Amino acid sequence: MPTRTVIADKPAAAAPSPAERILAVLGTRLPAGAELAVCWRDWALGSGGAASSGAPPMLRRRAEQALSERHGHDPGNLLLHVWDNADGNARMAVAAALPAPLSAQEQRSWLALAQAFIDTTLDAERAQARIVSLEKSKRLQQALYEIADLAGADLEMPEMLRRIHAVVGSLMYAENCYIVLYDDQRRSVRFLYFADQKDTYVAEPEREFSEEEMANSMTFALLRHGQPLRGPSAVIRQKLGVMRDPSHGPDSLDWLGVPMRRDDRVCGAIVVQSYDTPASYADEDRALLGYVAQHILTALDRKHAHVELERRVEARTHELQRANRELQAEIIERKRAEKLQGALFRITDLAITSENLERFYADVHAVVDELINARNFYIALVSDDGQTLQFPYSIDEHDHVRKSRRLAKGLTEYVLETGKPLLADRAVTRSLTEQGKVIQHGPPAYSWLGVPLFRGEEVVGAAVVQSYAEEVTFTPHDQNLLMFIAHNIGNGLGQQRAQESLRAAHAELEQRVEERTRELAEANMQLRAQIGERLRAEQRLTYQATHDALTGLPNRPHLLDRLSAAIERARHGDGQAFAVLFMDLDRFKLVNDSIGHAAGDELLVEVARRISGAVRGNDVVSRLGGDEFAILIEYADGEENVRDLAQRLLTVLGEPMWVAGRELFPSASLGIAVWHPRYRNGEELLRDADAAMYRAKEEGRDRCAMFDEAMREAAMHSLDLEADLRRAINSGDFEPFYQPISRIVDGTVIGYEALLRWRHERRGLLSPAEFISLGEDSGLIEQVDWLLYEQVVNRIARGVEGYVSVNVSPRHFRSPDFADRLLAMFEAAGADPAQMRVEITEVALLDDAPRTLRTLSLLRQRGILAQLDDFGTGFSALSYLHRFPISVLKIDRSFIAGIGGSGRPESLALVRAILALAGTLGIETIAEGVETETQREALLELGCSYGQGYLFGRPTAQIGRMATA
């Protein structure tokens, strides 16, 4: 029977729908001329159905009507059947208009086949729908985990929001996104984050925009509306009654805004928009963004709480520092007061206890010398007749014997005459001399200080200190101090005649000093208590800064300090040999992703406990971060003991453990770096131990590896090669080699693949296998690719028959301007873009599907077609073959190598399947790695049109002339 076509509106390359597949299969089991319709109502798939291309509308309506009837059967040439699935949550109907009645046996057979096939097809679609739903749930859960982790990470707010934007972008189209906080009391907003392709505004998180400043803003309208909004900007403005204002940015074809709520208050919003694609967002995206928005608000709240806590801690610290400074100043002042009161007490005591006036003066001098510099000191008294100035006490380094003299115009007499203290340097002395007020007596002093001595209201003498050196200069403070002492000296002279009153004054002074001393002792005790608490706080902070918060193990800075000490001892020959063991848990991310981060933390704590229990007490076990640990050990009996310890650690770690109700069998990869004089610091030891750990992972995990000279030489070789690679980029030492792509039947060349080669200055011509991985690790491969693209474009501009294909890595598709930059090269060189094809891998398609689709579509519009390289080695999913504009499949050389001779039969079957698939989808195929005539004949027999390999030509630096294709 002929196969019937169905009514469908889909691209030619699209996969058939379930209804179309049902019609295609069931139609072949009916007589010629029969028409068919199928309908269903399903709990998971909803309502659906289809009819064959020639079926009258009545036939499908009859099938749909039957879904509501209890029994569906029409006599005559109409075959109708309706039934429910086994679970009772789906109902199906099939109707067939027959040119002639079927026999009862034929009807029963066909209806049984129809029921079984339709049930099977819809079951498969339900399973696929559940898979898609689970994948979406998994991506959402992972995104929420990432947002929660970002909220607790030690990141600045802009960086945290940028990463949150990246997470949202993994769930929907979010190239244009901004986040605002709303103050409903002040009626103002702050733009915390702003990223837009067309609007050049840069977010200023601290700046507030009032509602008056943004009267016609859709953002304010969204915040007032309080509910999610979706659609073109013009439609939303009309709905909310907002006027168009160009100052608020360009219009978008699709705009999605979701408020962020705290309880019942709107406190912010997140908005995404698209300028070039209408209907970019669906109700599912609106619900998803609303769910994510609340988690973003939680993350912002946690971040603001953390910042506020740090601010309060800092303010409290400044407050304690200020209080400490004030307390220290008060202590100094109290000590000064205590010292001054002690001097007063001593002078008062001397006035009572001194044997004679000479001893009294000498003791007073000693007291004064404790308070100020009194190396040169004398006391002058006026004689009873008021005519002579006497010096009962004088100590002077230049005037050893100061004799009495008649009152004249000396500095001392000036003090006696004025009854006021005099603080004079040489300038003041010179001025008084020039005015005729004083006459210099004795050696001139550099600084001179004299104060009067009183007995009651009468000036009876003076106390003087002076300095002959520039480094000793008296101050007004010294003047006040000496005035105070001089007053007590004068009183002391009178107290010689009133012992009783002096004793009473002495007792009162002693009591005051005792009270003041007690107050100072109490203040000192409080200060010591505060200092002790401060020291304990510093010790706690020091411990926290040098230990891991989760496991309590020393952290990386602590380990580096211990390593520095060990290296210093080893360099001076007074320390034991030591080694660093770098350990990384195998598949730890799987634990976090499957049973949660809390279980991961529990696993890390148990691992830390086991490691600590397996080493000696003087070894240092440190957690560097994540699932990485390092152990510093000392050994004396050879490196074999280090290997034994490493193996023992792996054995202990591999014992089963229960985490979150599950039995886990953890394993680890361990690298060892032994001390050598070439190491200058601990970072270098950790680096080499880390490199050895990666070697252990490469060898199969759950093992240890020792860093040796081979690893060191490999590392040095990589460094040298990277330096050479950078120089080669600057000097343009890369060139394309062209390998022909030929028609298999006659060998006609239809195009070329440009293969990268490096003409190294010392090692000659290098293939990509010798440097491509280093270029990808260092990020330099993109620059190398652009050098290659430029040479290929220039070669096309000079004239090429056919096309030239170039390899494009997934890195390029992450760049939003890749297509524009490549097309600009063609425009600058005057070359035809249609003569270039880009070869991409399945990884590039799946890495960022929306961006890749846009890039490939733009290139296709300009004539640059896409070829899928190494097909069959990756996911090989049919879904992306009709989603992406793929023109050519290149069958991987591993399948071609298995064809012919003693090849593998499965390779032939796989190649046949790929060719059949490509033929069905209307996609060309190129077989890679064709090297033998047997392979060519087999491919020709299978129907493969084009091939590439050594059989047709090796890569060369020049493109040869091609026959007309």
Side-chain angles (χ1 to χ4, degrees), residues 651-858:
T651 301
V652 170
L653 188 61
E655 295 176 357
M657 66 174 67
W658 284 90
V659 175
R662 294 178 180 269
E663 187 177 24
L664 302 181
F665 295 83
S667 65
S669 299
L670 196 149
I672 305 170
V674 177
W675 153 251
H676 188 278
R678 68 171 174 268
Y679 290 116
R680 293 170 296 177
N681 53 54
E683 289 285 1
E684 294 181 352
L685 268 165
L686 283 176
R687 176 201 64 202
D688 289 349
D690 189 17
M693 181 272 293
Y694 277 106
R695 172 65 61 84
K697 282 189 179 292
E698 293 170 0
E699 293 175 353
R701 302 183 178 179
D702 194 17
R703 64 195 64 223
C704 63
M706 182 86 71
F707 186 86
D708 53 21
E709 284 302 318
M711 291 188 193
R712 177 177 173 79
E713 290 175 4
M716 296 302 295
H717 175 72
S718 295
L719 289 175
D720 294 340
L721 188 60
E722 182 179 346
D724 292 345
L725 186 60
R726 293 182 184 277
R727 288 194 294 271
I729 291 173
N730 295 330
S731 58
D733 292 341
F734 298 93
E735 59 184 272
F737 270 46
Y738 301 94
Q739 185 174 26
I741 300 172
S742 305
R743 186 181 294 120
I744 292 180
V745 66
D746 56 8
T748 302
V749 179
I750 64 165
Y752 296 89
E753 179 180 358
L755 303 173
L756 179 64
R757 295 293 185 270
W758 177 7
R759 199 168 292 281
H760 196 278
E761 57 186 357
R762 296 187 307 276
R763 299 170 58 188
L765 196 64
L766 301 181
S767 65
E770 300 180 69
F771 63 87
I772 198 74
S773 61
L774 175 64
E776 290 177 347
D777 293 340
S778 61
L780 299 174
I781 195 62
E782 291 186 51
Q783 300 180 48
V784 176
D785 284 345
W786 283 111
L787 293 175
L788 175 72
Y789 301 158
E790 183 178 11
Q791 295 183 62
V792 171
V793 170
N794 291 334
R795 183 63 185 85
I796 292 174
R798 296 198 302 271
V800 172
E801 295 183 6
Y803 65 85
V804 180
S805 66
V806 294
N807 290 282
V808 179
S809 71
R811 286 175 174 267
H812 292 293
F813 286 98
R814 300 189 192 108
S815 175
D817 64 343
F818 169 72
D820 294 333
R821 184 176 176 184
L822 183 61
L823 293 171
M825 280 188 174
F826 279 95
E827 185 175 349
D832 183 6
Q835 287 190 273
M836 174 178 277
R837 294 187 181 183
V838 293
E839 293 194 11
I840 60 177
T841 62
E842 298 174 36
V843 175
L845 292 179
L846 302 178
D847 189 27
D848 188 346
R851 188 193 297 274
T852 304
L853 179 59
R854 290 194 299 273
T855 301
L856 293 179
S857 299
L858 177 58

Side-chain angles (χ1 to χ4, degrees), residues 154-221:
D154 187 14
L155 297 174
E156 295 294 333
M157 183 69 73
E159 177 64 14
M160 184 191 76
L161 295 177
R162 185 188 68 77
R163 295 194 184 182
I164 288 178
H165 178 200
V167 174
V168 174
S170 69
L171 301 174
M172 65 182 68
Y173 177 76
E175 290 293 325
N176 311 297
C177 174
Y178 62 87
I179 300 173
V180 299
L181 280 186
Y182 178 54
D183 189 335
D184 57 355
Q185 301 297 322
R186 300 164 61 89
R187 303 187 70 82
S188 64
V189 298
R190 291 187 293 117
F191 285 83
L192 298 185
Y193 180 79
F194 193 96
D196 197 281
Q197 295 174 314
K198 291 188 176 182
D199 197 337
T200 59
Y201 172 71
V202 178
E204 301 175 75
E206 301 303 322
R207 182 182 176 186
E208 284 189 336
F209 292 90
S210 65
E211 192 170 11
E212 291 74 20
E213 291 178 272
M214 303 179 68
N216 297 317
S217 166
M218 289 175 60
T219 303
F220 259 102

Side-chain angles (χ1 to χ4, degrees), residues 81 302 309 333 389 416 431 480 521 527 614 707 710 838 849 883 891:
H81 182 56
R302 289 176 61 186
L309 178 60
E333 187 61 32
L389 187 62
L416 297 175
S431 175
N480 294 334
L527 177 61
F707 186 86
V838 293
R883 287 178 55 201
I891 305 174

